[in-house]
Every structure is written in C-alpha cells, then in structure tokens.
Amino acid sequence: MSKFRAPLVFLIMAGMLVFVGVYQSWSVSLSILGMCLISAVMALGVNIQWGYAGLFNAGVMGFTAIGGVAAVLVSYPPVKEAWSAGGGGIGISLLIMLVMSAIIYFSLKLLPKGKLRGLLIFIVLLLGLYVARQFFYPAVSSIESVDSAVSGFLGGMGLPILFSWIVGGVLAAAVAWAIGKVALGLRSDYLAIATLGISEIVIAVIKNEDWLTRGVKNVTGLKRPVPLEAELQQEEWFISLVSRFNESKLAAISDADAKAEMLRSLVIEGSGIFVKLCYAGLFAVVLLIVLALSIRALNSPWGRMMRAIRDNDEAASAMGKDIKKRHLQVFILGSAVIGIAGAMLTTLDGQLTPTSYQPLRFTFLVWVMVIVGGSGNNLGAVFGGFLIWFMWIEAEPIAIVLMSFVTSGMAETSALKSHLIESAPHLRLFLMGLLLLFVLRFSPKGILPEKVRHS
Amino acid sequence: MPETIEMLNALTLFSNFVLIPGLAYGSQLALGALGVTLVFGILRFANFAHGDLMAFGTMVTILMTWWLQSLGVSISPLPTALIALPIGIIVTALFAVATDKAVFSFYRLKKSPPVILTIASIGVMFMMNAIVRFIIGPNDQRFYDGEKFLMKAREFKQLTGLDEGLSIRYTQVLTVVVALVVVIALFWFLQRSRTGKAMRAFSDNEDLALLSGINPDRVVLITWIIAAALATIAGVLYGMDKSFKPFTYFQLLLPIFAAAIVGGIGHPVGAVVGGYVVAFSEVMVTYAYKKVFVYVLPEDWQPEGLSQLLSTDYKFAVSFIILVVVLLIKPTGLFKGKVIK
C-alpha cells in the first residue's frame, strides 16, 4: 500500500487536471498546472525548513517577493536617464552605508566591550545615516522624476529573465542569511512571529522604494522566456502544426473560407495552450531539479543529521553537531528555493505588483500545502502544492455552484440569496482551514507521510 | 512672553498628532496584546487567530448595532455599539470556547508541542477569516453613530488663543476610558479573585497547580472567555476609532504580537506597556516634525525637509524593528516574560 501511495495520489491529481481540461477548458487546466508547479517548488522550500529541521518560517511571502524583485532587476532594460540622473547619488549613499557597516563590524570585533564602544557605534551609525541621507534623497527624487508615468526607476540589467530564477534564489539566500543571523536563536513561535514581521517589512520596502521597484505603480511588460502568442500565430511552422493536429476537424469542412476561419481560431486557441505548455515545461524542469536535489540531501548523512537535530536538538548537540550553524544553513537553503519560486511566479505573471503579496495567500497557504501534503517528505510537499493550488482555484466555481443550489428555493429578488452567492468565493478560505485542521487531527503526518527507516 | 506661546503651540501640535492618537491606538493594542498574552501564558501557544477573533467579535457587535439602530434604539451622544458590545462579547466567547472544544483541546490533552497548536491556530485563522468575510463582506464598514468631537480644533483655538488647534474625538476618549476600566477590572480579577489566582498559578507551573486541585478545564474556559471579551472590546474600539475591515484586523495581529513580546509574553503588565510602546513608536517615527521644529527651534536651525524619520507606509515595519531589537537585547521582553519550550 505505502509503496504505491505516492504514484497513486499523483495519478489521481493528473486525472483531476485532465478532468478540468476536458470539462472546463485546457487553457484553465494548463494555467492551474503552471501555478501548481510553482506552488510545489515553494512547498519544497518550506519543507526543507520545517520538514527537515523544524524551523517555523512565517515569512514565505517576503522571500517570494524578493524573487519577484530579482525578476525585475535582471530582466528589465536599464533606464539610462535615471542612472545618469541619480545613479551616482545612490551609489555614494550605498558606499557610505557600506563603510559605516564596516566600521561598526570592526569596532565590534576589535574594541573591548563597554560603554565607549557602544557610544562610538551609536555616533558612527547616526553620522553615517545622516550623511547618506544627504545623497540619497536628492538622488531618489531625481530618479523618480525621470518620465515617472512610464519608468521613474533605475530599471534592471536587461538580461534574459531566466537568469533571474538563479538571482532570485541568491538574493533570497542573502536576505535569509541576514535574518537567520538575527532571528534563528529564537524559540519556534518567536521565530514565526519575527519572520512574519520581516516579510511585512520586505513588502513595505518594495511598495515604497519607487527608485528600485517602481513601488505600487507596478512594473509591467517584463521579458518572457517563451514566444508571444501574437508572434506565434504568424509563424508558418506553428500553423501547419495546428492544422496537422486538427486534420479531421478541418477535413470535415468543405467550404474554403470557413476552413480558413476555423484554422485561424484554432491557431489562436492553440497559441495560448502552446505558450502555457512552454511555461509548464520550464517550471517542471526546475521542480524536478530541486526535487532531485532535495531527495538526495534528505537521504544523505546531512539529511540524517538534520532530522536528528529536529527530533532532539540536545542529543544532537551532545554528539557535537553545531545546531545554530545547521539551522542557519537549512534556513538559507529553503529560502533560496522559495526565492526561485518567487522569480518564476513573477516571470509567469509578466509583471511585479507589490500589492498582490498577501500573507494569507503567500505564506499561510504554502504552509497548508506542506502540512496537508506531508511535512518531511519531499514528494508529499510537491503533492500538497499541486492539490492545494488546484483546490484554491477550483473551490471558487464549486462554491458558487453549491451556493446557487442551496439558494435555489429562495425568491430571485431575495437580498439574502444575492449576498450568499456573492460571498461564495470566500468559502475557499474556509475550505483551506478545514482541510488543514482535518489533516492535522486525523493524519498529522499528511497525505504522504515521512518515511522513517529503522535499521 | 512670546517664547512660552511658541512652546505651547508646539506642545499642542505634538499632542494633537502624536500624544492623543498614540494613546488611543496604544489602548487598543494593549487590549489585544492582553488577550494574546493570556492565551500564551495559560494555553502556551501563539494564537495566530487572535486578529480574526477580534474581527469576529467586532462583526457580531456591528450586526447587533445595525439591528438596534433599525429598532430606533439610541443612547446619543454615546454610540449604539456600546449597548451591542455585551452581546458581541457573549457570542464571541461562545464561539471561542466552541473553537477550543473542537480544535485546541485535542492537542492540549495529547500534550502536543506548542508549535502544533500554533499551526492549528493557522487553520482556525483561515476559517474565521472566511466566516467574517462571508457574513459581512471584505469591505469597509463604519458603525460609529455617536457624537464626533469632544473638542474641535477651532473651539480650542478660541478658548486658548493659540495658533494651533487641539481636537479630541469622542472615540479617543471612549477608547482610553474603556481600556482603563477593562485593564483595572482584569488586574483586580487576576490578583484578587480565586479564579484569577488559579489562572496565575496555572500559568506559573501547570503541574503544581494541578496537584493543588485547580480544575484545568475551568481555567482554560475562563481564559478563552476573557480572551474573547478582550478581543471583542479591542476590535470594537478600533473599529469605532478608525473603521472595520476584515483585512486590517488580520494585519493588526502583527503590532499586537509585537506588543505582547516587547512587554514580555505571558505577562499582563508587560502587554499593556508593550501596547503603548509599539503605538507611540509607530506614531512618533512616522510623524513629520517640521511644524513642531518651526515653533521650537530658532530660525536658522530649522530643517529643510519634513523631518519625518520614516514614511507612514513603514508603520508596520516599525513595530517589528522594535520587536527584533528587544528580542536581541532582552529576549524575555521588558518585563520578565516566560520562556516555554
């Protein structure tokens, strides 16, 4: 049974996606699949932190957003006027901050502990911030005034957006290092609250530092790693591909004009599906790489050590394991994976919209995925990502149908009826909560439980 | 003496934009943090659903207020919501106790680690969020129907002859007064009453409390009732002062947790102090001091910019910067909070 459990649940999942494809539309099914793949990568990231090491990271949203920023910084073409207007000022203020940090770092290292050191650090901090402000704010306002309706920010490096998936991971890892240094000493629920807050800070920075990310004005029209639908529709090879796929359909039509019309609409439909398939393929490659690495890591001596630390940190520490260092390591690794997923998400959207980052959707939903799928088991996390995202999307139409059924006895004009149908989409939050509580209570190890090998 | 007048003007300005709003906001946070801290101290987990419990209580109160308004009940100049509040508290307390029976009690009896209870509270948070949005919708609701101003800025100017006005809203006075009464009542209860002492004993050492014959079910029941009452009062006060929106209440979770931890989690006095610390830091760091400096400083000392340390959008960031600093310097909080493994 347990041997066939994983293939079976994935088969059922595939069946559900096919069902949506046949009865709703393939376009919907494929966009769900794309997001399922991204969600699975995110869930793997959280699973590395929670499932391997028992770290409660409630800041998933923050790392996702950092990945999104990476997508902008890598792929957007640089805005030359903005660079010449304020790039110098920003550079000088960053340099000052760097020098300041270096002075503080070395005084912490070299000087003896005492009031004098504290005072010195305080003065350096104050002075550094004051001087940096003098360069920073004029630069920012001159950058933001450059053609503010279209750009008003520094732009990026103009590289292909696929690079940003790596950069997103690296950036998220760097931020995770800084956070981990500060917060990882805390108890599990303190860590949760601290990371929840830090992710809120990350979003606040992205919303407000217009010179870097355009803030709430959004960055739209990012480059795409796959062809545009409109261009695809003009390509000779694509049209012939579509006509070969629909040979029987086209052959049934005798009229030449009607045939050409039919072909055109098929090509338009096909181009959308083709693009979504391309995305799904790219995401699947990333997912498989991350999954393969995760499985290898979990089964290696390193993974064994991690589980030992998770299950009994005192015993592991007595065996000479450096718990703080390992926790930091696993926190960075997991965050990097989440960052990669964040960059993938922004790539799929083609835009960065800071207001769309909501903790319920980006932090707690991912947690539901991991807990429901099976924490500690990589395949479980992946399955959780698929299942929960599928339900998150499909719960809405189902809830509306359900509500129309429940209210079918009521009068058409009843205010209660329209209120119930209008509010039906909120039921998906209810469903997610219910699912989490059910799994936690009756099958606390999740749908695909962690394998514990006794030798 | 022109100097004194200048100083008074600056003081008025400061009171109007920092002191009074901070006091009101701090009282609301303090009540919320008290609930979080009680649940943490006695049930030993961080309840992520507290913000949504606040939203639930406020929603019930709003619905009652609307019903009372439709009946024509009014206690003007006080808001109708004050009569609706007790019913809101009762319904929310029943709801909280039912939630405990359905969800949390299972893990408590099994002696699951606290983090499992916290994860369960995430599930509860999702469901409460859905219930509130389903019943009242995700939009802004205003339900305050009492008198608006105790003192208008114009009246203050006429009264004192100063250039700057001081406006005091009824909601702000109400918030501070209600919070004061509630906090005093709660502290009296915890310090003097038998049940309160049992609760504190339970919080200090569960095993010892059980040995001395304290009934744990009763302690847990009372804790949920008090937490629900505090959440409802805090939520209604916040909603009257600003407005009710489910998502805002979810976000209030962050400063409330910050307040509870800054004060020392599990410590009621700490929660109150933490509430004011967080509220005043938020207001003070994001206030533009330009006009105050104009009055206080000599002309050639005056700053050019707005003299605002951080833009108002970083409001939520402030509470967490304080949180992190306190956790780094004094991990148990300002008052010695508890550390539960």
Side-chain angles (χ1 to χ4, degrees):
Chain A
M1 174 61 204
S2 65
K3 208 174 162 188
F4 297 110
R5 196 162 177 162
L8 191 72
V9 291
F10 275 103
L11 215 63
I12 295 173
M13 191 64 233
M16 289 200 283
L17 282 169
V18 170
F19 182 85
V20 169
V22 173
Y23 287 94
Q24 225 170 335
S25 86
W26 283 105
S27 172
V28 172
S29 173
L30 283 174
S31 31
I32 293 177
L33 177 68
M35 281 302 297
C36 278
L37 289 162
I38 294 178
S39 304
V41 178
M42 275 187 203
L44 272 178
V46 173
N47 187 41
I48 290 172
Q49 294 172 340
W50 169 246
Y52 294 15
L55 295 177
F56 197 139
N57 175 8
V60 181
M61 176 179 74
F63 296 110
T64 314
I66 289 169
V69 170
V72 171
L73 293 186
V74 168
S75 76
Y76 206 86
V79 181
K80 293 219 173 62
E81 301 88 59
W83 272 104
S84 57
I90 297 276
I92 291 173
S93 56
L94 283 183
L95 201 71
I96 292 169
M97 298 288 269
L98 214 68
V99 169
M100 185 185 82
S101 318
I103 292 176
I104 291 176
Y105 178 79
F106 281 112
S107 52
L108 275 175
K109 273 248 150 126
L110 301 176
L111 294 180
K113 204 173 176 176
K115 275 197 185 136
L116 202 67
R117 189 179 79 171
L119 191 71
L120 179 76
I121 288 176
F122 184 72
I123 290 172
V124 169
L125 196 72
L126 217 63
L127 205 72
L129 286 180
Y130 181 77
V131 177
R133 271 177 90 111
Q134 304 306 312
F135 291 98
F136 186 70
Y137 282 102
V140 164
S141 61
S142 53
I143 288 172
E144 283 169 10
S145 61
V146 172
D147 207 1
S148 62
V150 233
S151 66
F153 77 128
L154 284 177
M157 293 184 281
L159 297 171
I161 199 161
L162 282 181
F163 280 113
S164 76
W165 298 4
I166 300 166
V167 175
V170 172
L171 268 186
V175 174
W177 174 80
I179 295 172
K181 276 275 177 199
V182 176
L184 276 181
L186 306 173
R187 254 179 33 223
S188 57
D189 33 4
Y190 274 22
L191 178 67
I193 295 163
T195 44
L196 186 70
I198 289 163
S199 77
E200 215 52 60
I201 294 175
V202 168
I203 301 296
V205 169
I206 294 175
K207 275 186 188 163
N208 289 298
E209 300 307 319
D210 288 19
W211 60 275
L212 187 66
T213 59
R214 277 201 94 209
V216 286
K217 287 178 284 185
N218 303 342
V219 182
T220 52
L222 293 178
K223 281 186 197 169
R224 292 161 52 126
V226 297
L228 270 171
E229 282 93 339
E231 278 167 23
L232 209 56
Q233 285 155 19
Q234 309 300 323
E235 295 281 343
E236 211 48 63
W237 63 268
F238 185 72
I239 296 172
S240 67
L241 189 78
V242 170
S243 60
R244 200 175 315 154
F245 253 90
N246 296 289
E247 224 160 344
S248 57
K249 231 185 214 172
L250 288 169
I253 304 167
S254 50
D255 182 31
D257 275 351
K259 204 175 207 166
E261 188 63 35
M262 179 79 181
L263 184 63
R264 200 171 305 135
S265 72
L266 280 173
V267 164
I268 289 172
E269 197 194 321
S271 64
I273 290 178
F274 184 81
V275 165
K276 279 179 181 142
L277 272 175
C278 289
Y279 273 121
L282 284 173
F283 297 155
V285 169
V286 175
L287 176 63
L288 287 177
I289 293 172
V290 175
L291 181 65
L293 291 175
S294 305
I295 289 176
R296 269 193 79 93
L298 192 61
N299 291 331
S300 68
W302 180 84
R304 239 178 358 253
M305 172 182 66
M306 279 304 168
R307 290 198 299 274
I309 292 177
R310 178 194 67 188
D311 293 338
N312 191 339
D313 58 342
E314 276 167 21
S317 158
M319 300 296 283
K321 304 299 175 201
D322 188 343
I323 303 212
K324 239 183 158 174
K325 222 171 183 173
R326 294 301 136 226
H327 274 172
L328 185 64
Q329 193 180 34
V330 89
F331 188 71
I332 291 173
L333 281 176
S335 303
V337 172
I338 299 169
I340 293 171
M344 282 156 60
L345 184 75
T346 304
T347 308
L348 179 65
D349 289 343
Q351 56 181 355
L352 180 73
T353 41
T355 45
S356 69
Y357 290 104
Q358 308 260 323
L360 266 183
R361 152 78 184 83
F362 281 97
T363 296
F364 296 112
L365 196 69
V366 181
W367 268 89
V368 177
M369 291 170 187
V370 174
I371 302 288
V372 168
S375 46
N377 183 341
N378 290 307
L379 277 179
V382 171
F383 177 68
F386 271 79
L387 179 74
I388 296 298
W389 185 261
F390 182 84
M391 294 180 79
W392 180 251
I393 295 299
E394 287 298 319
E396 205 172 312
I398 292 171
I400 290 173
V401 169
L402 205 73
M403 270 300 150
S404 331
F405 178 71
V406 169
T407 56
S408 59
M410 294 183 196
E412 270 315 306
T413 50
S414 150
L416 184 64
K417 176 171 180 167
S418 62
H419 174 83
L420 283 178
I421 293 181
E422 233 170 71
S423 315
H426 298 305
L427 282 179
R428 68 178 179 183
L429 291 170
F430 192 82
L431 182 74
M432 290 303 139
L434 196 66
L435 199 67
L436 175 67
L437 290 178
F438 248 83
V439 168
L440 202 61
R441 174 95 169 236
F442 298 108
S443 163
K445 289 185 179 265
I447 294 173
L448 294 178
E450 183 185 1
K451 284 182 211 118
V452 184
R453 251 176 271 148
H454 300 281
S455 48
Chain B
M1 262 192 7
E3 285 247 310
T4 340
I5 298 281
E6 303 261 283
M7 278 310 218
L8 280 176
N9 267 325
L11 199 66
T12 315
L13 201 64
F14 186 75
S15 313
N16 195 23
F17 289 103
V18 177
L19 194 64
I20 293 174
L23 216 57
Y25 182 44
S27 309
Q28 292 148 6
L29 285 188
L31 289 180
L34 270 174
V36 164
T37 241
L38 271 182
V39 171
F40 196 96
I42 290 168
L43 303 165
R44 296 181 162 75
F45 72 97
N47 183 13
F48 272 61
H50 199 79
D52 288 295
L53 191 67
M54 275 169 69
F56 182 86
T58 315
M59 177 194 73
V60 176
T61 311
I62 291 176
L63 294 178
M64 278 310 298
T65 309
W66 285 345
W67 185 67
L68 287 172
Q69 283 170 348
S70 72
L71 290 181
V73 179
S74 163
I75 47 166
S76 184
L78 292 171
T80 321
L82 275 190
I83 329 175
L85 187 59
I87 306 166
I89 291 175
I90 293 170
V91 175
T92 313
L94 287 175
F95 184 67
V97 170
T99 312
D100 180 67
K101 286 268 177 295
V103 182
F104 296 121
S105 67
F106 174 79
Y107 302 102
R108 199 165 50 241
L109 290 177
K110 244 180 58 177
K111 297 225 178 287
S112 303
V115 73
I116 298 295
L117 280 140
T118 300
I119 292 175
S121 83
I122 291 177
V124 173
M125 176 185 87
F126 265 104
M127 292 176 80
M128 279 192 193
N129 208 303
I131 292 171
V132 172
R133 286 179 195 214
F134 186 74
I135 295 178
I136 206 165
N139 301 323
D140 246 340
Q141 310 285 352
R142 287 177 187 276
F143 59 100
Y144 182 77
D145 56 357
E147 197 78 27
K148 280 263 158 63
F149 288 100
L150 179 70
M151 162 111 61
K152 282 186 182 156
R154 194 155 33 86
E155 290 169 4
F156 182 84
K157 280 187 208 167
Q158 283 168 356
L159 201 71
T160 56
L162 290 175
D163 289 337
E164 292 300 329
L166 180 71
S167 72
I168 303 175
R169 277 182 289 148
Y170 258 106
T171 52
Q172 292 166 331
V173 181
L174 207 63
T175 300
V176 175
V177 170
V178 171
L180 203 66
V181 171
V182 168
V183 168
I184 289 174
L186 182 73
F187 279 66
W188 179 86
F189 173 79
L190 287 176
Q191 295 296 332
R192 297 265 180 267
S193 80
R194 216 179 139 72
T195 320
K197 283 179 189 166
M199 281 170 70
R200 283 192 297 134
F202 194 86
S203 159
D204 277 348
N205 189 331
E206 194 178 338
D207 296 326
L208 212 58
L210 292 178
L211 276 178
S212 8
I214 288 171
N215 179 358
D217 294 336
R218 199 176 126 81
V219 168
V220 169
L221 184 79
I222 303 278
T223 306
W224 276 116
I225 292 174
I226 294 176
L230 288 170
T232 311
I233 295 170
V236 170
L237 290 176
Y238 186 87
M240 288 199 296
D241 198 21
K242 280 128 190 163
S243 76
F244 172 77
K245 193 178 184 193
F247 183 65
T248 319
Y249 277 58
F250 170 74
Q251 279 191 320
L252 271 182
L253 192 66
L254 312 177
I256 283 177
F257 264 124
I261 293 179
V262 165
I265 200 151
H267 200 295
V269 183
V272 176
V273 175
Y276 288 111
V277 168
V278 169
F280 274 108
S281 335
E282 270 189 25
V283 180
M284 284 170 81
V285 172
T286 53
Y287 177 64
Y289 288 96
K290 167 87 174 166
K291 277 182 85 181
V292 175
F293 285 148
V294 168
Y295 284 116
V296 181
L297 297 178
E299 214 152 288
D300 36 327
W301 279 38
Q302 276 163 24
E304 276 172 42
L306 285 169
S307 312
Q308 188 181 15
L309 283 170
L310 275 176
S311 109
T312 10
D313 304 289
Y314 283 115
K315 212 173 67 178
F316 280 118
V318 174
S319 43
F320 273 90
I321 293 166
I322 307 169
L323 177 71
V324 169
V325 169
V326 168
L327 284 177
L328 281 178
I329 297 173
K330 207 161 185 280
T332 48
L334 297 177
F335 294 79
K336 208 168 158 24
K338 54 176 9 99
V339 175
I340 298 169
K341 273 272 178 185

